[in-house]
Amino acid sequence: MCRRFVLDLDWEALAAGLDIADDNIDRDDLPEPSYNMAPGHTIAVVAQGRDGARHLAGARWSLVPAWSRTDVLPYPTYNARVESIASKPTFAASARSMRALIPANGYYEWKGGTNGRPFYFHADDDHALYMAGLFSWWRRSLGAPWLLTATIVTCPATDGPASVHDRMPLLVPDDFVGPWLDRSSDCTDMLDDLRKQGTELSRSLRFHEVAPLPDPAETVHNNDPKLIRPISRNTGTPALLF
């Protein structure tokens, strides 16, 4: 399941590519670049507002449903399985009308479990990946500030990605961005087609092994492109690039 990813994108270029008006970019809340995004961190989400326009904003990675009395749930909500998003109470309301794109440069998966070998996945042309997401607004009490939270939707992995892990983020192709973000549409009508097209997109991903990632709490001084540098499987040292 996706629990780490890389986010170091040009917000202006991303917004232009997704038809997001300049006034709808919440620059104050967008995250700083990170090569080790982890649950609980502020990530970027693209979503359609009630005004019908697309917005780019920061959100806490781990969805909190509006009905929850606390923002710390007894189970993880940084991922949501596509097979159950429409029926699981935690995600059902968001799946109906609060769907989002979660942009990323790439993501990590581990081969052999949590303490296994990490691999970095990215697009062949290094185009931003649009991971399917859900969002929710939550507040502790009436009059308290609203908190925007989000989760990444995952699906079964196939082909190359499946050689590392049996799950992966559900990727949204460019021509599916509109239907996925459309708040008036029912996601259950599109999930089969989205999964098929997302699977086709995943076949073009490139991936390589990387060194073990530092604890997210330690990345303040250890959070740069070297985290995605390939290593040699035989020696565990950085691979020669020339």
Side-chain angles (χ1 to χ4, degrees), residues 5-131:
F5 69 90
V6 173
L7 182 59
D8 187 3
L9 296 171
D10 181 327
W11 300 129
E12 313 306 321
L14 180 75
L18 291 170
D19 297 322
I20 301 171
D22 188 71
D23 289 347
N24 292 336
I25 305 174
D26 192 352
R27 293 178 177 82
D28 291 339
D29 286 337
L30 287 171
E32 294 294 322
S34 174
Y35 286 76
N36 195 14
M37 278 289 187
H41 288 181
T42 297
I43 61 175
V45 298
V46 175
Q48 186 183 83
R50 296 187 183 279
D51 57 1
R54 294 179 183 175
H55 295 255
L56 172 61
R60 194 177 79 177
W61 184 15
S62 281
L63 185 142
V64 182
W67 47 259
S68 178
R69 294 184 177 182
T70 173
D71 61 341
V72 181
L73 277 72
Y75 47 87
T77 59
Y78 56 85
N79 283 165
R81 287 177 172 256
V82 68
E83 299 92 330
S84 58
I85 57 172
S87 59
K88 194 169 184 178
T90 302
F91 305 120
S94 295
R96 281 194 298 273
S97 63
M98 292 179 285
R99 299 181 296 272
L101 300 180
I102 298 179
N105 299 74
Y107 67 92
Y108 302 99
E109 290 290 4
W110 279 256
K111 186 171 187 175
T114 304
N115 296 317
R117 293 154 43 201
F119 286 74
Y120 177 63
F121 292 78
H122 61 100
D124 182 52
D125 58 0
D126 286 326
H127 183 279
L129 299 180
Y130 300 146
M131 301 184 288

Side-chain angles (χ1 to χ4, degrees), residues 157-241:
T158 59
D159 301 309
S163 67
V164 175
H165 196 277
D166 64 348
R167 305 287 299 183
M168 64 173 290
L170 177 60
L171 301 179
V172 181
D174 291 343
D175 60 355
F176 234 96
V177 167
W180 180 252
L181 296 181
D182 184 359
R183 299 186 69 148
S184 66
S185 63
D186 185 344
C187 80
T188 57
D189 296 334
M190 71 178 81
L191 286 181
D192 285 344
D193 285 341
L194 177 56
R195 288 177 63 178
K196 290 176 183 177
Q197 293 194 35
T199 295
E200 287 299 316
L201 185 58
S202 72
R203 291 193 171 110
S204 66
L205 293 179
R206 300 182 65 183
F207 60 98
H208 57 261
E209 188 173 356
V210 297
L213 297 178
D215 185 283
E218 299 173 0
T219 56
V220 174
H221 304 294
N222 187 17
N223 190 356
D224 56 49
K226 70 176 179 291
L227 296 182
I228 63 172
R229 187 176 179 182
I231 66 168
S232 167
R233 179 176 296 182
N234 294 329
T235 64
T237 57
L240 295 177
L241 302 182

Side-chain angles (χ1 to χ4, degrees), residues 136-149:
S136 177
W137 289 99
W138 178 87
R139 62 179 176 177
R140 191 172 303 279
S141 60
L142 188 65
W146 287 98
L147 174 68
L148 179 60
T149 67

